[in-house]
Amino acid sequence: MLRYLRMEYYIVNIIAATMIEYLPLKRINEPYVHAADEVLQSGWYLRGEATSRFEEHYAKYIGTRHCVGCGNGLDALTLILRAYKEMGVMHDGDEVIVPANTYIASILAITENRLVPVLVEPDINTLQIDDTLIEQAITPRTRAIMIVHLYGRCAYTTTIDDICRRHGLRLIEDNAQAHGCRATTPVASSSGKTGSLGHAAAHSFYPTKNLGAFGDAGAVTTDDDELAAIIRALGNYGSARHYIFDYLGRNSRMDELQAAILDAKLRNLEADNQRRRMIASIYINKVRNSGIWIPQCHRDSVYHIFPILCERRDALRQYLSDHGVQTEIHYPIPPHKQQCYANNYATKHSILPITERIHAQELSLPCHPAMTDAEANHVAELLNSFT
């Protein structure tokens, strides 16, 4: 027994003396370098078999008929809205309801398409859009609700689905942070995975994501045949046929390198997400500090980010850093307070105290597949000792 206790003491002190990285991408990505080598050796780098293969596999994984690869997650959102405009579903000046607590890309896609973002506060308990506030934000110009599965948690509710059906609105998912997450309630018309719950969904494969590429990449998933065809054309300069341009498009395509890496990583996504859940469970079960609050969690969350709230956030972050623990803030300034929207009428007059509280108090803890139980326990102990 004494020998065991000495070993535990030794391990704890080794961890305490070692930096716990927020996200060690080099270590996480090392097993997938072979996929990149295979593409480099093939001599085919764009619009090839690797992209087609990943699109097929990812559509099957999400549970939709279509997956259209594109350049990044922002492009995926932007192309969805642009395609709806091409279809006559939306027009300049129409409104899209979107959570105020989100990364700015969700809102940039709306304003880039000359649509109006209508910001709705989150529920402080879940940090997701408050579905009790959505209906009062609807006007005759509302055309869609964009939900954001922020932090790897599902934002979908049956209330939101019912609102969309009653008001004839498109439901768009920003699934940039929630690959593999499932709805908290059964959804009869889909696989239950985020990315299949609405009319269309945008996915980001930025390197830090649960399913991350070695560079920028994104995709749209949908069951809508027309929407998928238009998005594919729009991302290829507006062309569905070689040198024939039906739309004023852009260049937004997934390259073969990223597709091959993502396809290899997709095979391990469920296991990686489960490992994230195990790390999260250590925090949930062991952090007991009255000055630190952990928002409500659901068992099917995939914990792209593990957020905590603390009124003394900056002091806590410095304390953890002093003890060798890296953290991040998601995000220090809410979108409606950013300079780029200072002159936007739809955002600058917004009164959003819950969103502002979250952005002033949020701190993201390390939570990734390469993290050990011992490291997570050490972080929990540090949080409990913070005063």
Side-chain angles (χ1 to χ4, degrees), residues 278-288 294 306 380 384:
M278 293 173 70
I279 297 299
S281 70
I282 292 175
Y283 293 148
I284 293 166
N285 294 322
K286 296 198 173 182
V287 174
R288 294 291 181 268
I294 297 177
F306 191 95
N384 287 335

Side-chain angles (χ1 to χ4, degrees), residues 70-77 203-205 216-219 252:
C70 61
N72 53 69
L74 173 56
D75 278 2
L77 282 171
H203 307 255
S204 168
F205 304 118
D216 270 325
S252 180

Side-chain angles (χ1 to χ4, degrees), residues 73-74 77-78 102-110 146 174:
L74 173 56
L77 282 171
T78 304
T102 185
Y103 183 57
I104 199 169
S106 310
I107 299 168
L108 287 173
I110 298 170
M146 181 186 293
D174 182 339

Side-chain angles (χ1 to χ4, degrees), residues 12 15-23 283 308 313-328 363-368 371 374-383 385:
V12 168
I15 292 169
T18 305
M19 174 66 71
I20 298 178
E21 294 181 73
Y22 180 74
L23 186 65
Y283 293 148
I308 59 173
R313 188 262 310 280
D314 294 341
L316 175 58
R317 189 181 195 199
Q318 186 61 55
Y319 174 80
L320 291 173
S321 177
D322 291 344
H323 288 81
V325 178
Q326 291 182 346
T327 58
E328 293 290 343
L363 186 66
S364 303
L365 303 180
C367 185
H368 54 79
M371 195 171 186
E375 288 174 326
N377 278 304
H378 180 60
V379 174
E381 289 170 5
L382 288 172
L383 292 170
S385 64

Side-chain angles (χ1 to χ4, degrees), residues 181-184 273-274 277 284 297-303:
C181 183
R182 291 184 178 275
T184 55
N273 283 343
Q274 186 57 30
R277 293 186 186 104
I284 293 166
C297 303
H298 185 267
R299 61 182 177 85
D300 286 325
S301 298
V302 295
Y303 298 101

